[in-house]
Amino acid sequence: MSAINVFQQNPGSDAKAQSPLHHADLASLVGKGRKNAGVTLREKKFLGHLTLRGDGHDPAFAGAVHKALGLELPVALTVVANGEMSLQWIGPDEYLLIVPGGQEFAVEQKLRDALDGQHVQVVNVSGGQTLLELRGANVRDVLMKSTSYDVHPNNFPVGKAVGTVFAKSQLVIRRTAEDTWELVIRRSFSDYWWLWLQDASAEYGLAIEA
């Protein structure tokens, strides 16, 4: 039986939560972009972000994760999803789990119960990062300006996810649909990437979606 204490980290309803891009006031920019913009940006804020570590080659670990989440362990450089829940391969023994906001505490408990007795680690990192969704015909053009990683469809199909250098810093790029990409960014760099994306997408038009 695990002796680890798991705490509900979400504040009560009386506390005012602010996303990493709260200062950008994205809501005030909705509808003000160029018509037929080539890039549409949406911050998928207040999601639950958990890092999970364990032996991905161990059938017991994989089976327990599937029991708790209903998701198969993703293979290298991929992300799998079930509705609004996604599980991404980060390294040979590390995965990023993203769940709807408010569910991270319950999901962590389910994981710990299913993985009881195994050598694993589950950490709630929700407060330290956020997710940006980019859609549109010119998203790949913006990505090609921003990273040296090959984002051509032949090398970066739907379902692929990588951690890479982006605008001289580091983040995670995930391709979730033909013209939809996600950036998992750290809170401390959110302003830098927001400014970068505005500049990189200026020639194509940038629209903000709530």
Side-chain angles (χ1 to χ4, degrees):
M1 187 70 175
S2 173
I4 295 174
N5 291 319
V6 182
F7 298 98
Q8 169 61 275
Q9 298 184 44
N10 283 344
S13 58
D14 56 333
K16 183 179 180 181
Q18 294 184 345
S19 80
L21 284 177
H22 170 79
H23 67 284
D25 193 14
L26 297 184
S28 69
L29 301 177
V30 175
K32 295 183 179 180
R34 184 193 305 176
K35 291 184 178 180
N36 300 316
V39 179
T40 297
L41 181 147
R42 176 169 67 114
E43 181 189 11
K44 300 174 76 171
K45 55 189 177 182
F46 305 131
L47 298 178
H49 295 238
L50 303 168
T51 58
L52 169 65
R53 304 199 70 165
D55 184 358
H57 298 294
D58 182 355
F61 175 72
V65 171
H66 183 268
K67 177 183 177 182
L69 305 178
L71 293 171
E72 300 289 347
L73 279 182
V75 298
L77 303 180
T78 66
V79 57
V80 296
N82 180 8
E84 297 184 48
M85 179 185 294
S86 65
L87 184 63
Q88 178 191 338
W89 184 94
I90 298 294
D93 66 349
E94 184 174 3
Y95 303 86
L96 172 64
L97 174 64
I98 297 182
V99 301
Q103 295 185 18
E104 53 270 40
F105 180 58
V107 170
E108 180 177 354
Q109 289 182 309
K110 286 183 66 176
L111 273 171
R112 291 192 180 279
D113 288 343
L115 292 163
D116 188 39
Q118 298 190 41
H119 184 65
V120 299
Q121 179 187 71
V122 185
V123 180
N124 186 335
V125 296
S126 305
Q129 55 194 42
T130 191
L131 190 150
L132 302 181
E133 179 187 79
L134 301 175
R135 294 187 290 103
N138 295 111
V139 173
R140 194 164 67 87
D141 298 299
V142 171
L143 296 178
M144 287 191 292
K145 289 183 178 185
S146 308
T147 180
S148 59
Y149 196 89
D150 184 3
V151 293
H152 189 278
N154 290 343
N155 184 64
F156 212 123
V158 174
K160 187 169 183 175
V162 300
T164 186
V165 174
F166 186 100
K168 299 183 179 180
S169 188
Q170 290 186 323
L171 50 62
V172 169
I173 304 176
R174 300 149 46 121
R175 190 177 184 193
T176 58
E178 287 300 321
D179 66 346
T180 304
W181 305 69
E182 293 179 342
L183 306 179
V184 182
I185 67 173
R186 294 197 298 274
R187 175 179 286 271
S188 56
F189 281 86
S190 59
D191 184 59
Y192 170 70
W193 281 314
W194 164 234
L195 294 174
W196 178 279
L197 290 170
Q198 289 180 80
D199 183 71
S201 60
E203 66 179 292
Y204 313 112
L206 175 64
I208 304 301
E209 191 174 85

